[in-house]
């Protein structure tokens, strides 16, 4: 039982890191005058996506029979998380800005990791169901 | 069972042990790969900067004498807002021992909001320039014309696009190769274009503490001395003969940066060395314990007819396989971190940083993989030798 909850727990932790990180230590540019650019909205989107990943991962723990579908859902959210900063929502133009220097690469790596784990889990669950 | 199959079976049967060994080697290869790439990038950055700063002496106005100005100018190629009269160039040229002297004018970063690119505009004299021109020529055969600019690789404008600087339209004719310094975020134009931009900046109310009316302003004069002339003497002559300027030898400045750089490289090398010694000791202990734990298993294999040589081969191959897997994992993690956070590393180090090309990166990765496999195999040699000397009968009687 404990072993089965390890992958969703990993996804839950990664989702929380994305959600918390996007508003704090991995967040977008901070302006002294209180204004913000579009990177702020990219951070907000990542907060939402990280939260969604965590909720889906938590559901995978509570509803084990729905695991394959939940893992596929997490993978899709992770892809969205990878393309959101930069491709879907533009960031600051200068590459020395915090959003380009820290937030984008960190979120790409974290979402990539989520995608990798959830895809492997989805394939494993599918194989498990196929086995007699 | 074939030897190859037995090795794979043995590794998969004890996943915790195998994963622990793989993670340990991954940590090793991470330190080697990341350390090597960062060291090489710093060296390339300095070389690139040296090539860009091909002058013997740089003459700046006395007002720019603060250490930060010099350091920034050299380390990051970041220019400042300091100006002197255009006549200074003629006075510098009069000094004995000078082969060529070329002026440059800097326009301080544009006052832009966060989402606009802050850029440095550097005005050069295409007729006398020997600093920027070779670099510009690498990317463009065309001469810089009026209201035409060449841009550094990090400026978000492409060739034939129009760059708006202080409401003046400038056509981009070339995008320059990367240097790993602040020069990559600069825009290069002729002195006449620069004077127009300075006037436009003043009209927009941006004060640069200069007057452009009737007088040409310059920020620096780059000097190359004649062959055989003593650079130090020429430097002293400029400082003695030309008023309100400071002449600095480029070599002495580069040596200072080189010293800082070698300090950083030495620290990285020391850290890698320490990690390797520590990991080698841990691997030695791990393999020794692992062999001790599997004494009975190997004794059964010996009784079943496996030779001492086969035993040694199994242990060495198992170790090499774990080493290769760990090495690959370490390289992947290191490459992901180092290349994703290149700009962050560059900014935090505050030194010129130019990432190596793909060929060199692949070479480093292969070397790291080889080293990881060899070190793992080497760490297991002692344990394998000890095992081959153990009598299988005694090992089976001892239990385990």
């Amino acid at each position: 039982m404990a072993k089965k909850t390890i992958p969703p727990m990993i996804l839950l932790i990664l989702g929380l890191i994305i959600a918390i990180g996007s508003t704090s230590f991995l967040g977008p540019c901070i302006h002294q005058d209180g204004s913000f650019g579009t990177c702020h909205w990219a951070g907000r989107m990542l907060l939402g996506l990280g939260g969604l990943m965590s909720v889906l991962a938590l559901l995978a723990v509570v509803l084990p029979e729905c695991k394959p579908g939940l893992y596929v859902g997490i993978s899709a959210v992770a892809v969205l998380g990878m393309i959101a900063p930069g491709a879907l929502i533009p960031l600051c133009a200068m590459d020395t800005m915090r959003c380009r220097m820290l937030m984008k690469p960190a979120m790409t790596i974290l979402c990539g990791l989520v995608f990798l784990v959830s895809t492997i889990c989805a394939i494993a669950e599918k194989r498990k169901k196929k086995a007699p | 069972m074939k030897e190859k199959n037995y090795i794979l079976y043995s590794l998969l049967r004890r996943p915790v042990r195998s994963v622990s060994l793989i993670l340990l080697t991954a940590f090793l290869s991470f330190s080697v790969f990341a350390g090597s790439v960062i060291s090489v990038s710093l060296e390339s950055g300095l070389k690139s900067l040296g090539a860009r700063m091909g002058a013997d002496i740089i003459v700046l106005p006395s007002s720019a004498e603060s250490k930060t100005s010099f350091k920034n100018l050299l380390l990051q190629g970041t220019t400042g807002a300091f100006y002197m009269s255009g006549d200074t160039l003629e006075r510098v040229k009069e000094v004995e021992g000078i082969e060529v002297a070329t002026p440059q004018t800097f326009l301080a970063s544009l006052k832009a909001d966060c989402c606009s690119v802050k850029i440095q505009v550097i005005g050069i004299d295409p007729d006398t320039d020997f600093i920027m021109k070779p670099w510009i020529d690498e990317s463009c055969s065309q001469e810089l014309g009026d209201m035409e600019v060449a841009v550094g690789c990090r400026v978000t404008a492409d060739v034939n696009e129009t760059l708006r600087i202080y409401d003046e339209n400038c056509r981009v004719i070339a995008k320059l190769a990367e240097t790993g310094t602040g020069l990559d975020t600069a825009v290069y134009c002729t002195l006449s274009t620069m004077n127009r931009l300075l006037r436009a900046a003043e009209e927009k109310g941006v004060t640069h503490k200069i007057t452009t009316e009737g007088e040409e302003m310059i920020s620096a004069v780059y000097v190359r001395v004649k062959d055989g002339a003593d650079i130090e003497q020429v430097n002293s002559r400029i400082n003695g003969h030309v008023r309100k300027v400071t002449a600095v030898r480029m070599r002495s400045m580069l040596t200072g940066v080189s010293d800082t750089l070698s300090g950083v490289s030495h620290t990285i090398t020391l850290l890698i060395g320490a990690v390797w010694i520590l990991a080698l000791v841990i691997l030695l202990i791990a393999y020794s314990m692992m062999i001790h734990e599997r004494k009975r298993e190997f004794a059964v294999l010996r009784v079943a007819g496996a030779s001492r040589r086969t035993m040694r081969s199994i242990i060495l191959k198992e170790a090499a396989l774990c080493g290769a897997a760990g090495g690959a994992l370490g390289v992947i993690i290191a490459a992901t971190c180092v290349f994703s956070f290149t700009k962050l590393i560059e900014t935090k180090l505050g030194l010129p940083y130019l990432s190596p090309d793909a060929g060199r990166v692949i070479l480093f990765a292969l070397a790291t993989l080889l080293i990881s496999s060899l070190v793992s195999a080497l760490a297991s040699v002692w344990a394998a030798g000890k095992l081959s000397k153990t009598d299988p009968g005694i090992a089976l009687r001892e239990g385990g």
Side-chain angles (χ1 to χ4, degrees):
Chain A
M1 179 66 186
K3 263 189 182 177
K4 284 180 186 171
T5 57
I6 292 174
M9 288 310 280
I10 292 173
L11 293 171
L12 176 73
I13 293 166
L14 286 171
L16 285 175
I17 295 174
I18 292 169
I20 298 166
S22 64
T23 54
S24 54
F25 61 101
L26 299 173
C29 311
I30 304 157
H31 296 204
Q32 286 175 338
D33 59 356
S35 63
F36 47 77
T38 50
C39 66
H40 168 82
W41 301 113
R44 285 294 152 131
M45 185 171 180
L46 285 164
L47 168 70
L49 293 177
L52 186 58
M53 280 177 208
S54 306
V55 171
L56 292 176
L58 202 65
L59 282 174
V61 179
V62 183
L63 304 166
E65 66 277 9
C66 303
K67 266 184 183 175
L70 290 168
Y71 285 141
V72 172
I74 296 172
S75 297
V77 176
V79 172
L80 203 57
M82 280 191 274
I83 58 170
L88 293 181
I89 302 173
L91 302 175
C92 298
M94 199 165 67
D95 60 3
T96 47
M97 295 304 285
R98 191 182 151 91
C99 60
R100 275 191 179 274
M101 210 165 59
L102 183 67
M103 185 178 83
K104 191 175 184 273
M107 290 302 167
T108 308
I109 291 172
L110 284 169
C111 290
L113 216 57
V114 169
F115 176 77
L116 206 70
V117 174
S118 55
T119 307
I120 291 169
C121 288
I123 293 167
E125 286 294 326
K126 200 185 167 194
R127 278 191 183 170
K128 222 188 277 177
K129 284 211 168 173
K130 264 189 184 174
Chain B
M1 195 187 277
K2 279 182 185 171
E3 190 186 307
K4 194 174 81 181
N5 292 345
Y6 180 78
I7 292 168
L8 284 175
Y9 170 74
S10 164
L11 288 173
L12 294 173
R13 197 175 49 134
R14 298 278 176 93
V16 176
R17 186 190 67 200
S18 308
V19 167
S20 306
L21 287 172
I22 288 171
L23 286 180
L24 190 65
T25 335
F27 180 58
L28 267 179
S29 67
F30 177 91
S31 66
V32 172
F33 186 78
S36 314
V37 170
I38 291 174
S39 290
V40 168
S41 301
L42 286 171
E43 279 168 26
S44 306
L46 185 69
K47 264 187 202 165
S48 155
L49 187 68
R52 295 283 81 86
M53 298 277 181
D56 295 317
I57 296 166
I58 176 171
V59 184
L60 300 169
S62 304
S63 55
E65 207 178 337
S66 73
K67 258 199 157 169
T68 343
S69 300
F70 284 135
K71 209 179 159 196
N72 284 347
L73 188 69
L74 191 68
L75 280 183
Q76 287 303 319
T78 314
T79 57
F82 39 82
Y83 303 93
M84 54 191 173
S85 163
D87 299 341
T88 313
L89 175 68
E90 295 311 316
R91 293 207 300 274
V92 169
K93 276 181 180 171
E94 284 165 10
V95 174
E96 195 191 327
I98 288 174
E99 186 189 342
V100 59
T102 186
Q104 278 190 10
T105 309
F106 310 144
L107 183 58
S109 294
L110 297 183
K111 290 199 173 177
D113 62 20
C114 140
C115 294
S116 303
V117 184
K118 281 186 181 176
I119 45 172
Q120 299 276 342
V121 188
I122 300 176
I124 59 169
D125 179 0
D127 297 331
T128 56
D129 184 77
F130 60 95
I131 306 285
M132 299 297 177
K133 212 166 169 284
W135 183 32
I136 295 171
D137 287 347
E138 280 173 28
S139 314
C140 176
S141 52
Q142 203 181 325
E143 284 282 323
L144 272 174
D146 206 26
M147 297 314 280
E148 283 180 341
V149 293
V151 297
C153 69
R154 286 194 191 133
V155 175
T156 43
D158 287 318
V159 176
N160 289 328
E161 276 184 9
T162 303
L163 195 68
R164 235 174 132 69
I165 306 170
Y166 289 119
D167 284 345
E168 291 282 342
N169 287 332
C170 301
R171 195 171 74 90
V172 179
I173 63 155
K175 193 144 190 169
L176 307 175
E178 193 180 2
T179 66
T181 68
L183 295 172
D184 292 336
T185 52
V187 168
Y188 305 90
C189 61
T190 60
L191 287 176
S192 62
T193 307
M194 176 55 104
N195 281 329
R196 235 171 108 174
L197 293 177
L198 282 170
R199 275 196 296 275
E202 279 185 342
E203 278 165 19
K204 283 190 80 72
V206 181
T207 48
H208 289 292
K209 292 171 190 170
I210 56 162
T211 331
T212 51
E213 279 169 25
E215 195 180 14
E216 201 171 81
M217 305 305 290
I218 56 171
S219 299
V221 177
Y222 289 81
V223 173
R224 185 187 282 162
V225 303
K226 279 180 184 162
D227 280 343
D230 185 343
I231 302 170
E232 194 56 58
Q233 261 186 13
V234 177
N235 192 54
S236 305
R237 269 184 223 140
I238 296 171
N239 277 326
H241 288 87
V242 188
R243 285 181 61 225
K244 291 182 182 175
V245 299
T246 307
V248 188
R249 276 191 68 178
M250 292 295 277
R251 182 167 285 254
S252 64
M253 285 164 82
L254 274 171
T255 311
V257 184
S258 183
D259 287 346
T260 316
L261 196 65
S262 71
V264 175
S265 292
H266 279 307
T267 313
I268 292 171
T269 315
L270 269 174
L271 281 174
I272 294 174
V275 167
W276 274 85
I277 291 167
L278 193 74
L280 196 66
V281 172
I282 296 170
L283 277 174
L284 271 170
I285 297 167
Y287 280 112
S288 180
M289 283 169 71
M290 187 187 84
I291 300 295
H292 184 74
E293 184 199 325
R294 295 169 69 188
K295 237 182 197 174
R296 269 171 71 85
E297 178 194 330
F298 286 116
V300 171
L301 279 177
R302 284 279 289 133
V303 171
S307 66
R308 286 175 198 276
R309 203 178 156 182
T310 313
M311 298 282 96
R312 275 200 301 268
S313 159
I314 287 172
I315 295 166
L316 285 176
K317 281 177 186 168
E318 262 189 43
L321 204 63
C322 279
L329 184 70
V331 167
I332 291 169
I333 297 171
T336 310
C337 292
V338 171
F339 296 117
S340 298
F341 296 104
T342 298
K343 195 67 213 171
L344 188 71
I345 297 168
E346 187 186 328
T347 311
K348 293 286 172 200
L349 285 174
L351 289 164
Y353 187 94
L354 192 59
S355 296
D357 54 37
R360 276 185 98 180
V361 172
I362 292 168
L363 206 69
F364 283 140
L366 290 176
T368 310
L369 274 179
L370 191 72
I371 292 170
S372 305
S373 307
L374 281 178
V375 166
S376 290
L378 205 71
S380 69
V381 164
W382 179 70
K386 208 176 145 191
L387 178 82
S388 64
K389 283 175 195 158
T390 313
D391 183 73
I394 297 169
L396 282 170
R397 270 199 302 277
E398 274 177 358

mmCIF file of all heavy atoms in Angstrom, chain B residues 278-292:
data_model
loop_
_atom_site.group_PDB
_atom_site.id
_atom_site.type_symbol
_atom_site.label_atom_id
_atom_site.label_comp_id
_atom_site.label_asym_id
_atom_site.label_seq_id
_atom_site.Cartn_x
_atom_site.Cartn_y
_atom_site.Cartn_z
ATOM 1 N N LEU B 278 36.445 11.559 -1.550
ATOM 2 C CA LEU B 278 35.391 11.133 -0.626
ATOM 3 C C LEU B 278 34.555 10.009 -1.247
ATOM 4 O O LEU B 278 34.305 8.970 -0.612
ATOM 5 C CB LEU B 278 34.496 12.335 -0.307
ATOM 6 C CG LEU B 278 33.542 12.175 0.857
ATOM 7 C CD1 LEU B 278 34.317 12.243 2.168
ATOM 8 C CD2 LEU B 278 32.484 13.272 0.846
ATOM 9 N N ALA B 279 34.147 10.224 -2.509
ATOM 10 C CA ALA B 279 33.306 9.227 -3.171
ATOM 11 C C ALA B 279 34.065 7.920 -3.401
ATOM 12 O O ALA B 279 33.495 6.837 -3.288
ATOM 13 C CB ALA B 279 32.808 9.796 -4.484
ATOM 14 N N LEU B 280 35.362 8.015 -3.719
ATOM 15 C CA LEU B 280 36.179 6.810 -3.940
ATOM 16 C C LEU B 280 36.246 5.985 -2.659
ATOM 17 O O LEU B 280 36.107 4.757 -2.684
ATOM 18 C CB LEU B 280 37.581 7.216 -4.400
ATOM 19 C CG LEU B 280 38.419 6.107 -5.018
ATOM 20 C CD1 LEU B 280 37.819 5.639 -6.329
ATOM 21 C CD2 LEU B 280 39.842 6.565 -5.245
ATOM 22 N N VAL B 281 36.444 6.674 -1.523
ATOM 23 C CA VAL B 281 36.494 5.982 -0.228
ATOM 24 C C VAL B 281 35.142 5.318 0.052
ATOM 25 O O VAL B 281 35.087 4.137 0.435
ATOM 26 C CB VAL B 281 36.870 6.986 0.901
ATOM 27 C CG1 VAL B 281 36.730 6.332 2.269
ATOM 28 C CG2 VAL B 281 38.284 7.501 0.708
ATOM 29 N N ILE B 282 34.049 6.062 -0.191
ATOM 30 C CA ILE B 282 32.709 5.498 0.054
ATOM 31 C C ILE B 282 32.467 4.283 -0.853
ATOM 32 O O ILE B 282 31.965 3.253 -0.417
ATOM 33 C CB ILE B 282 31.610 6.576 -0.167
ATOM 34 C CG1 ILE B 282 31.766 7.700 0.862
ATOM 35 C CG2 ILE B 282 30.213 5.970 -0.050
ATOM 36 C CD1 ILE B 282 30.901 8.913 0.604
ATOM 37 N N LEU B 283 32.884 4.400 -2.128
ATOM 38 C CA LEU B 283 32.699 3.285 -3.067
ATOM 39 C C LEU B 283 33.488 2.061 -2.624
ATOM 40 O O LEU B 283 32.999 0.928 -2.688
ATOM 41 C CB LEU B 283 33.126 3.707 -4.474
ATOM 42 C CG LEU B 283 32.098 4.459 -5.310
ATOM 43 C CD1 LEU B 283 32.706 4.924 -6.615
ATOM 44 C CD2 LEU B 283 30.879 3.597 -5.617
ATOM 45 N N LEU B 284 34.741 2.303 -2.166
ATOM 46 C CA LEU B 284 35.590 1.196 -1.684
ATOM 47 C C LEU B 284 34.891 0.467 -0.540
ATOM 48 O O LEU B 284 34.816 -0.764 -0.530
ATOM 49 C CB LEU B 284 36.943 1.740 -1.212
ATOM 50 C CG LEU B 284 38.040 1.854 -2.257
ATOM 51 C CD1 LEU B 284 39.224 2.617 -1.710
ATOM 52 C CD2 LEU B 284 38.486 0.465 -2.710
ATOM 53 N N ILE B 285 34.387 1.246 0.425
ATOM 54 C CA ILE B 285 33.689 0.651 1.583
ATOM 55 C C ILE B 285 32.419 -0.071 1.110
ATOM 56 O O ILE B 285 32.149 -1.210 1.519
ATOM 57 C CB ILE B 285 33.349 1.744 2.638
ATOM 58 C CG1 ILE B 285 34.629 2.362 3.185
ATOM 59 C CG2 ILE B 285 32.508 1.165 3.772
ATOM 60 C CD1 ILE B 285 34.436 3.640 3.986
ATOM 61 N N ALA B 286 31.672 0.586 0.199
ATOM 62 C CA ALA B 286 30.398 0.006 -0.278
ATOM 63 C C ALA B 286 30.638 -1.337 -0.958
ATOM 64 O O ALA B 286 29.948 -2.313 -0.664
ATOM 65 C CB ALA B 286 29.729 0.981 -1.239
ATOM 66 N N TYR B 287 31.649 -1.382 -1.846
ATOM 67 C CA TYR B 287 31.918 -2.641 -2.559
ATOM 68 C C TYR B 287 32.438 -3.716 -1.607
ATOM 69 O O TYR B 287 32.087 -4.893 -1.732
ATOM 70 C CB TYR B 287 32.893 -2.408 -3.715
ATOM 71 C CG TYR B 287 32.191 -1.841 -4.913
ATOM 72 C CD1 TYR B 287 32.428 -0.551 -5.349
ATOM 73 C CD2 TYR B 287 31.230 -2.601 -5.595
ATOM 74 C CE1 TYR B 287 31.748 -0.017 -6.421
ATOM 75 C CE2 TYR B 287 30.552 -2.069 -6.678
ATOM 76 C CZ TYR B 287 30.812 -0.778 -7.091
ATOM 77 O OH TYR B 287 30.125 -0.260 -8.154
ATOM 78 N N SER B 288 33.274 -3.289 -0.649
ATOM 79 C CA SER B 288 33.808 -4.239 0.318
ATOM 80 C C SER B 288 32.655 -4.870 1.119
ATOM 81 O O SER B 288 32.618 -6.091 1.322
ATOM 82 C CB SER B 288 34.773 -3.485 1.233
ATOM 83 O OG SER B 288 35.289 -4.351 2.166
ATOM 84 N N MET B 289 31.712 -4.026 1.560
ATOM 85 C CA MET B 289 30.564 -4.526 2.341
ATOM 86 C C MET B 289 29.670 -5.408 1.472
ATOM 87 O O MET B 289 29.169 -6.436 1.920
ATOM 88 C CB MET B 289 29.760 -3.340 2.897
ATOM 89 C CG MET B 289 30.425 -2.690 4.095
ATOM 90 S SD MET B 289 29.639 -1.140 4.532
ATOM 91 C CE MET B 289 28.098 -1.730 5.180
ATOM 92 N N MET B 290 29.506 -4.971 0.221
ATOM 93 C CA MET B 290 28.631 -5.714 -0.687
ATOM 94 C C MET B 290 29.181 -7.125 -0.951
ATOM 95 O O MET B 290 28.451 -8.110 -0.912
ATOM 96 C CB MET B 290 28.528 -4.948 -2.003
ATOM 97 C CG MET B 290 27.543 -5.501 -2.976
ATOM 98 S SD MET B 290 27.677 -4.635 -4.521
ATOM 99 C CE MET B 290 29.025 -5.518 -5.286
ATOM 100 N N ILE B 291 30.481 -7.207 -1.159
ATOM 101 C CA ILE B 291 31.120 -8.508 -1.429
ATOM 102 C C ILE B 291 31.028 -9.396 -0.184
ATOM 103 O O ILE B 291 30.764 -10.587 -0.282
ATOM 104 C CB ILE B 291 32.601 -8.303 -1.851
ATOM 105 C CG1 ILE B 291 32.688 -7.441 -3.116
ATOM 106 C CG2 ILE B 291 33.334 -9.623 -2.028
ATOM 107 C CD1 ILE B 291 32.096 -8.028 -4.367
ATOM 108 N N HIS B 292 31.228 -8.752 0.975
ATOM 109 C CA HIS B 292 31.162 -9.513 2.222
ATOM 110 C C HIS B 292 29.755 -10.104 2.405
ATOM 111 O O HIS B 292 29.591 -11.268 2.772
ATOM 112 C CB HIS B 292 31.497 -8.596 3.410
ATOM 113 C CG HIS B 292 31.545 -9.320 4.719
ATOM 114 N ND1 HIS B 292 32.593 -10.159 5.057
ATOM 115 C CD2 HIS B 292 30.658 -9.365 5.743
ATOM 116 C CE1 HIS B 292 32.346 -10.681 6.249
ATOM 117 N NE2 HIS B 292 31.182 -10.207 6.692
#
